[in-house]
Amino acid sequence: MKSAHKMVVLCAVVGAAMYLMFLAYSSSTAYDGGEYSLEMQPPLMDGPRGAVPATAPQSWVLPKDYPRVALDGGITGKTRFTVSVSPFGEVDECTITRPSGYPELDNRVCSAISTRAKFHPALDADDRPTEGTYSNTVVWTLD
């Protein structure tokens, strides 16, 4: 009985203490001194342009994606990635362009993004969907 109580308390403490903050860095990301925020402009849907997220980048990597070994070790880091986006707005390939230094974190980035990210495809000069790329950063933090 005593050990079950400790486990519940431990789970509650661990659950509250271990929080993943996914922040999509972009030119429009602002830091106001207390919280991070992401401001995204609506995509321009005509003329040549690159791939544009159709779903919020913050929804691509979730707290449940934080690897257990990283949580247990108090590991944090930043993982920069680039995805190739098909003319249908799907992730064709994900590449880590600047690793965090921890393969456990980096491997989760491409796995989660390849599953969850959706895009408006890039458009060529004739407004036809074409292949494109998108780059961003995942910031792994513990609170």
Side-chain angles (χ1 to χ4, degrees), residues 18-105:
M18 304 300 182
Y19 175 73
L20 165 68
M21 179 177 171
F22 171 66
L23 173 63
Y25 279 101
S26 70
S27 59
S28 61
T29 300
Y31 179 65
D32 66 6
E35 293 182 22
Y36 288 97
S37 61
L38 178 65
E39 299 171 14
M40 293 182 64
Q41 299 296 318
L44 297 174
M45 299 310 257
D46 58 337
R49 65 163 171 82
V52 177
T55 55
Q58 300 90 330
S59 69
W60 299 345
V61 180
L62 304 173
K64 68 181 182 179
D65 296 319
Y66 216 122
R68 173 55 52 195
V69 67
L71 286 172
D72 292 344
I75 296 171
T76 62
K78 295 179 183 179
T79 305
R80 181 92 176 142
F81 68 92
T82 297
V83 291
S84 298
V85 179
S86 78
F88 302 104
E90 298 169 347
V91 174
D92 276 342
E93 183 179 359
C94 179
T95 305
I96 301 301
T97 55
R98 189 178 311 143
S100 66
Y102 299 98
E104 302 85 3
L105 299 178

Side-chain angles (χ1 to χ4, degrees), residues 86-88 121-124 127-131:
S86 78
F88 302 104
L123 297 178
D124 66 15
D127 290 336
R128 290 184 304 236
T130 187
E131 293 179 351

